[in-house]
Amino acid sequence: MAPLVLITGASSGLGQALAVHYARAGWRLALVARRGESIKSWLNPYEISTDRYQIYSTDVTDTQAMQHMAQACMARQGVPDVVIANAGISIGVDSSHPEDLDVMARILATNVMGTAATLGPFIPAMVARGSGTLVGIGSVAGIRGLPGHGGYCASKAAVISYCESLRGELRNTGVKVVTLCPGYVATPLTQNNGYIMPFLMQPEAFAEIAFKAIQAGCSYRVIPWQMGVVAKVLRLLPNALFDKAFAGRPRKPRSNSV
């Protein structure tokens, strides 16, 4: 039987690109999104056989629903070989505005708790089998805090740390934990950014590199490599220089709802 990959946030963007790449590589798909009909809308043109995928209409912020989804997936399709916690949202916040705190809570619930709610239910079965790969999608934005991006940067920093902790917990179990940190990718999450996005990638190019990194079991990878260099520089940059470099940088647009 062909290997199985489960991908959250599969309705568009990186999730869609990853699903298409895995399908073309011969994998079976378990596709998760709040709106399952959105997945069907892009699946049809690719003519992927219906016996090669299942769609699960589940919100990653609903931890109980995610437990049920995982059980349903394993009952219908078996224990996945790869689980990719890709679902995420990005929106500008200004925490001096009380209404933005609700937006920030939604960002953290989706990006952080959604990652744990996605990976956690599959851990016991993967450990019992002695194999599997859990993938968390971080971001270069999780390396340093950027003005106007407090919610998103904080959430992705948490994802990176969570995956690192999980990797230590699962050491010697046969289960790998992979952290992928995209730079700028042309998806709905970045389309409203009002500033220059260096090394902007197409989602298909990201998916190709991500697939190889996951297959290789890389513990941590920044994509593309050029942003990896930027990430290393940002880590080492003294606070005074970092603050000066990003002073006056345009902020991501705020919103009162997500």
Side-chain angles (χ1 to χ4, degrees):
M1 185 177 292
L4 173 66
V5 59
L6 181 139
I7 305 170
T8 63
S11 58
S12 63
L14 295 186
Q16 176 183 335
L18 286 165
V20 171
H21 193 91
Y22 271 93
R24 287 174 172 167
W27 287 56
R28 294 179 297 126
L29 309 174
L31 304 175
V32 184
R34 286 183 297 174
R35 296 178 294 275
E37 64 275 10
S38 299
I39 297 176
K40 289 183 179 180
S41 68
W42 68 255
L43 265 176
N44 293 334
Y46 288 99
E47 298 182 346
I48 301 172
S49 175
T50 56
D51 62 356
R52 293 184 56 204
Y53 70 85
Q54 287 282 342
I55 295 174
Y56 302 90
S57 299
T58 313
D59 187 336
V60 298
T61 65
D62 187 335
T63 55
Q64 186 173 13
M66 289 297 287
Q67 288 282 344
H68 293 324
M69 179 279 297
Q71 293 302 319
C73 172
M74 290 187 282
R76 293 174 186 172
Q77 298 177 277
V79 180
D81 298 275
V82 173
V83 174
I84 305 176
N86 167 75
I89 54 178
S90 174
I91 195 162
V93 297
D94 183 341
S95 49
S96 68
H97 294 265
E99 63 270 24
D100 279 20
L101 296 181
D102 290 336
V103 176
M104 186 167 180
R106 179 67 174 168
I107 294 170
L108 294 171
T110 302
N111 296 0
V112 184
M113 297 308 299
T115 295
T118 298
L119 304 183
F122 295 100
I123 292 174
M126 284 187 170
V127 170
R129 186 179 60 189
S131 67
T133 302
L134 303 171
V135 184
I137 303 296
S139 171
V140 172
I143 305 300
R144 298 291 298 259
L146 302 174
H149 290 64
Y152 186 69
C153 290
S155 73
K156 289 305 183 178
V159 168
I160 293 169
S161 293
Y162 167 70
C163 289
E164 187 169 38
S165 297
L166 198 60
R167 190 173 71 245
E169 294 166 11
L170 296 176
R171 186 170 179 266
N172 297 327
T173 66
V175 180
K176 299 176 182 177
V177 179
V178 175
T179 305
L180 299 180
C181 290
Y184 294 109
V185 185
T187 69
L189 264 67
T190 60
Q191 65 183 3
N192 293 323
N193 289 350
Y195 44 81
I196 295 173
M197 295 182 284
F199 313 116
L200 181 68
M201 298 184 75
Q202 293 303 309
E204 295 78 13
F206 170 84
E208 181 178 0
I209 299 172
F211 177 83
K212 293 177 181 177
I214 294 168
Q215 288 298 94
C218 296
S219 60
Y220 179 91
R221 175 69 61 85
V222 177
I223 300 172
W225 67 265
Q226 293 94 332
M227 287 303 292
V229 175
V230 172
K232 289 181 179 179
V233 172
L234 289 178
R235 280 198 190 101
L236 298 173
L237 206 61
N239 288 346
L241 291 179
F242 176 83
D243 293 347
K244 184 176 181 179
F246 286 90
R249 184 177 186 266
R251 298 187 174 200
K252 194 174 185 70
R254 294 170 55 235
S255 174
N256 294 329
S257 62
V258 179

